[in-house]
Amino acid sequence: MTAVLLGMLLPMSGCKGGWKAVVAKFHHRKAKSKPNTTDYADIVDQVVNSPQLTILKWADYSNFQPQVQQFYDDRNDELAWTRDGKPTEAATGLISLFADAAKKGLRPEDYDASRWPQRLQRIETIRKTHDTSDNADTVIAQFDVAITICAMRFLSDLHLGRVNPETLNFDIDVPGKRAAFDLPGLLNDQLVDAEDVPSIVATVEPGNPMYAATEKALAEYLLLAQEQDTDAGPRIALPSVAAPVSVGGYYPALQPLLVRLQLEGDSSTTQAPVMYDAGLSASVKHYQGRHGLTADGKLTQATIDSLNVPMDVRVQQLSDSLERWRWLPANFINPRVFVNLPEFIVRAYDPDHTLAFKMKVVDGEAEGNHDTPMFVRSMRYVVFRPYWNLPPSIIKKEIVPHLEKSGMGYLDAHGYELYKNDGTVVTGASIDDVEHLRYGIRQRPGPKNSLGLVKFLFPNEYDVYMHSTPELNLFNLTRRDKSHGCVRLQDAAQMAVWVLQGEGGDWDADKVSAAMNGSNDNRTYNLKTPLPVVITYMTANADEDGSVHFFDDIYGYDKELEAALAKGMPYEQAPVKINPKLTPGETE
C-alpha cells in the first residue's frame, strides 16, 4: 500500500528532491536539529553513496563513509549546513576552526582550509543569481557533504588522534575508543544548530589540565615560529664552543645569545651584554631547566645545539604530544600515575586530580632494545622486599661470564641463588647448569637487590613495573635511560605511602619503612582500589607552573609518528600486533 501511495505522490509532488524527498515524509527522522530542506536529497544520497568526494584535498573518505551516510540517513538527507541558500552559523564556525587547526596541533589542509573561501563564494553566487541549474544543485549538495566529512575528520582527530598508536607499537586501544564515539549523533544533535561551535568542539578533546596547557603553549610557539621566520635576513645559528663557557668567560655572540634567550622568555634583560656575566648565566640555566639539559648555567655545546633548534621544530614536538594525549582511553585521561619517559619523571595525582608529587625516574636504555613501552594499565599490587628473577638474556650475557671468571662463588657473593621451578633453592650446581638454564637465578631480597626494597605491579605482558633501586647515583644524571625496561623510582618509599593510603592498615612512612627493611620477604599487598597508570612519551609539555618544557626524542618515537603523518589521509588505522623493542620478560 505504501509503495502504491508513493508511486501516486511522486509525479504530483513537484519536489526538487525527487524520490528521496517523498520517502522522507514516511521515514522517522532521528536528528534533533531543526528540520531543513530535502530539495537536494537525491543528490546528497548520490554523493554519500560514493567513498570518494573529488572536491576534497583528500578525496578518499571511505573510513568515514558509513558515519556520513548515517548522519544524512538520520536527517532524511536534508541539507545540514545551509539554510535559504546561506551557510549556517555552525558551518562558518567550523570553517573557521578548520583554518585554525594548527593551533590544535593538526594540519589545516586535512580539512580543506584553503578551499573553503572559494566554495563560500560559489554558494553566495548561486544564491544571488537564483541559479537553479542541476550544476548549482550539485555544488550545494557537495558543499554540504564536504563540511560533514571535514567536521567528522576534525572531531575524530581531536578526540582520538589521527594515527592508530598500535601501528607504532604503542599498546593503547584507540579502535575501541573509536567505536564508542558517535560522530553522526554529535553533529546532528549538537553541532548543526550550534551558536558556539568552539565550545562544543572543546568537549571532545581530552579533559586534562596538562593537555589544555600544552595546547595553549602550542599557540604561543606558533607565534614564536612566525616571529623567527619573519626576522630580517636568514636565521643565524649561534656559534659552537670548544669548551663550556662559565661566568666571566668569552663568547663571540653575546647579543645573538641574549636575543635567542629573550625569544622564549628565559631572559628579560634589555641591556646589551659585554661579557658572559651572571645574568646571562642565570638565563641559560633557566633555559636548560626547561629543555632537559644539565641546569648549571654553563654555556655548553649541548645547550647551543638546543638553542639552535628552530621554533617550528618545537611546534612539531608540542603537536606530537597533543596527538599522544588524544590516544588515551577515557578512563585514563586523568591517570593517578603518569610516567613521561623522555622527561624521566613520574607524576602522582590524588583522586581529585591535583598533583600529589612528582619524582625522577630511570627508564629503559635507548640502546640495546630496552626501550620502555608505552601503554596503559592499572596498578594492582605492591610487593615489599621482592626477589628479582633474572631473565635468561641477563643470565647468559652477564652472569655466565662472571662465573667463568670468578667461579660459582660469584652468585652467593652478589646475593644470587639458584632455584627450581617450585622455588626450591639449589646447591652444588655447575656453570654448565647455569649456562643451559637448567635452573633459574634470583637475587635475594635486601638493600642490594636490583629491584630495591619495593616494587609496584600493573600486570602487563612486557613484565614492566616500577621499583626502587640501590643505584641512587643514577638520579644525579640528566639523561636517565639506564634500566632494562622497568621504571626505577627515586623515592619508592614515598610512592608506597601514597599508593597505600586509604587501603587500610594505617600505612604511614614508619610502617612502609618497617616493611621495606624488615625480615618478611616477598610480601604482596593487593590494592583494593586499582590505580590507573599511564606510561607515555611526550617530548614537549607544559609543566604545573605554566613553563613549557622540551626533551630529546630518545627512542625516536617522534620521528616514527611524523613519518606516519607525512603519508597523509586516510591515516593508518588498522590495528597490528604490538611488537615493542623491549623483549617481554627481560626487564629490570
Side-chain angles (χ1 to χ4, degrees):
M1 181 67 180
T2 300
V4 174
L5 180 60
L6 289 175
M8 293 172 61
L9 286 174
L10 183 59
M12 299 186 296
S13 68
C15 178
K16 188 175 184 178
W19 177 259
K20 289 290 293 185
V22 176
V23 170
K25 297 179 184 295
F26 300 91
H27 186 272
H28 177 64
R29 186 179 189 274
K30 296 181 181 179
K32 295 180 181 178
S33 57
K34 293 183 295 185
N36 204 334
T37 180
T38 57
D39 283 357
Y40 304 86
D42 276 355
I43 306 175
V44 167
D45 185 62
Q46 182 180 2
V47 172
V48 301
N49 277 328
S50 170
Q52 303 270 338
L53 182 56
T54 57
I55 67 169
L56 296 174
K57 172 181 172 61
W58 302 110
D60 179 3
Y61 72 100
S62 55
N63 54 334
F64 285 99
Q65 188 187 13
Q67 293 159 298
V68 172
Q69 290 175 319
Q70 183 67 52
F71 171 78
Y72 283 104
D73 186 58
D74 288 349
R75 58 187 300 106
N76 291 335
D77 289 319
E78 298 170 356
L79 293 182
W81 309 108
T82 61
R83 285 187 180 276
D84 301 321
K86 294 182 180 180
T88 65
E89 186 175 355
T92 56
L94 282 169
I95 290 170
S96 179
L97 287 179
F98 300 157
D100 287 338
K103 294 179 180 178
K104 294 184 177 294
L106 304 175
R107 298 174 178 174
E109 287 309 301
D110 281 354
Y111 321 103
D112 280 23
S114 65
R115 302 185 179 205
W116 289 110
Q118 184 177 8
R119 291 172 186 159
L120 289 170
Q121 183 59 50
R122 182 75 177 101
I123 294 293
E124 178 65 8
T125 299
I126 291 173
R127 186 185 71 84
K128 286 183 175 181
T129 60
H130 305 287
D131 188 348
T132 58
S133 66
D134 290 344
N135 182 63
D137 291 351
T138 299
V139 169
I140 291 171
Q142 288 184 337
F143 174 88
D144 208 85
V145 176
I147 290 188
T148 300
I149 294 169
C150 289
M152 287 189 175
R153 285 172 168 174
F154 185 68
L155 293 167
S156 176
D157 292 348
L158 282 178
H159 186 63
L160 307 164
R162 291 162 287 180
V163 178
N164 181 354
E166 290 180 305
T167 68
L168 298 172
N169 282 328
F170 289 158
D171 189 2
I172 297 177
D173 182 22
V174 167
K177 184 179 177 183
R178 184 178 302 278
F181 190 35
D182 181 12
L183 273 171
L186 176 63
L187 264 65
N188 262 326
D189 300 342
Q190 297 187 51
L191 270 174
V192 166
D193 294 332
E195 296 179 357
D196 185 358
V197 170
S199 293
I200 294 174
V201 169
T203 64
V204 309
E205 298 185 75
N208 185 290
M210 286 184 69
Y211 172 89
T214 302
E215 189 173 84
K216 179 181 177 182
L218 174 60
E220 295 169 355
Y221 272 80
L222 282 166
L223 293 176
L224 293 181
Q226 185 178 11
E227 179 181 341
Q228 194 175 59
D229 289 343
T230 55
D231 284 345
R235 191 177 62 83
I236 301 174
L238 295 171
S240 301
V241 293
V245 180
S246 301
V247 173
Y250 170 76
Y251 185 64
L254 293 174
Q255 185 59 30
L257 172 62
L258 176 60
V259 170
R260 177 62 185 82
L261 291 168
Q262 290 170 336
L263 182 65
E264 291 182 78
D266 294 290
S267 177
S268 58
T269 301
T270 57
Q271 186 175 358
V274 296
M275 60 181 295
Y276 190 75
D277 56 22
L280 266 180
S281 178
S283 297
V284 166
K285 183 176 181 179
H286 187 271
Y287 177 91
Q288 291 168 330
R290 293 192 308 105
H291 289 78
L293 301 165
T294 302
D296 56 11
K298 296 179 180 179
L299 189 59
T300 62
Q301 186 57 48
T303 303
I304 291 172
D305 290 342
S306 178
L307 286 162
N308 282 333
V309 172
M311 288 297 100
D312 56 3
V313 173
R314 300 308 187 195
V315 165
Q316 186 61 59
Q317 286 182 268
L318 289 161
S319 299
D320 291 346
S321 293
L322 292 174
E323 173 78 5
R324 294 192 178 100
W325 270 111
R326 295 166 185 145
W327 293 343
L328 297 181
N331 54 331
F332 286 88
I333 289 296
N334 287 292
R336 298 294 305 281
V337 181
F338 184 86
V339 180
N340 188 17
L341 298 173
E343 187 181 8
F344 306 109
I345 290 290
V346 58
R347 290 171 172 82
Y349 294 92
D350 288 331
D352 62 357
H353 309 314
T354 58
L355 180 68
F357 61 85
K358 61 181 179 180
M359 70 173 65
K360 295 178 181 179
V361 300
V362 170
D363 45 58
E365 190 175 12
E367 296 184 8
N369 291 331
H370 295 303
D371 298 9
T372 301
M374 177 176 167
F375 58 87
V376 294
R377 293 292 190 275
S378 291
M379 185 187 299
R380 299 182 182 277
Y381 314 104
V382 179
V383 182
F384 288 106
R385 300 183 63 79
Y387 283 98
W388 176 39
N389 299 314
L390 275 65
S393 62
I394 293 180
I395 293 174
K396 287 179 171 291
K397 294 177 184 178
E398 301 180 23
I399 299 299
V400 170
H402 283 297
L403 298 182
E404 292 173 341
K405 181 179 180 179
S406 305
M408 291 294 289
Y410 173 88
L411 293 178
D412 186 62
H414 290 82
Y416 297 114
E417 60 187 23
L418 295 169
Y419 67 96
K420 297 180 181 179
N421 289 337
D422 62 3
T424 305
V425 176
V426 175
T427 58
S430 66
I431 296 176
D432 186 71
D433 290 330
V434 174
E435 185 174 8
H436 288 86
L437 304 176
R438 296 189 180 101
Y439 306 109
I441 297 180
R442 65 190 180 194
Q443 192 173 28
R444 291 187 289 268
K448 294 184 180 180
N449 186 287
S450 295
L451 303 186
L453 297 169
V454 61
K455 67 178 180 179
F456 306 85
L457 301 180
F458 28 94
N460 59 85
E461 56 271 46
Y462 316 112
D463 200 24
V464 165
Y465 42 89
M466 299 192 305
H467 62 84
S468 54
T469 177
E471 297 183 276
L472 296 179
N473 60 300
L474 294 177
F475 297 102
N476 295 325
L477 301 175
T478 300
R479 175 166 171 164
R480 297 187 292 276
D481 55 321
K482 299 294 182 182
S483 81
H484 284 90
C486 282
V487 177
R488 304 181 190 178
L489 301 170
Q490 182 182 28
D491 190 347
Q494 181 185 17
M495 179 67 76
V497 171
W498 178 81
V499 166
L500 292 168
Q501 64 183 349
E503 286 289 317
D506 298 323
W507 286 98
D508 57 13
D510 290 339
K511 186 171 182 178
V512 165
S513 178
M516 292 173 66
N517 296 288
S519 58
N520 195 345
D521 294 338
N522 219 43
R523 185 181 180 188
T524 299
Y525 286 88
N526 297 341
L527 299 182
K528 298 175 183 176
T529 305
L531 302 179
V533 176
V534 168
I535 298 183
T536 189
Y537 192 89
M538 313 285 190
T539 60
N541 68 16
D543 204 9
E544 287 73 21
D545 63 2
S547 59
V548 185
H549 293 245
F550 299 94
F551 314 102
D552 288 341
D553 184 15
I554 57 172
Y555 295 158
Y557 289 165
D558 275 2
K559 288 184 179 179
E560 293 177 4
L561 172 59
E562 290 156 22
L565 293 171
K567 297 177 182 178
M569 284 191 169
Y571 297 114
E572 183 58 55
Q573 294 298 327
V576 297
K577 180 177 176 59
I578 302 297
N579 183 31
K581 297 177 183 177
L582 181 71
T583 302
E586 299 192 355
T587 60
E588 170 268 321

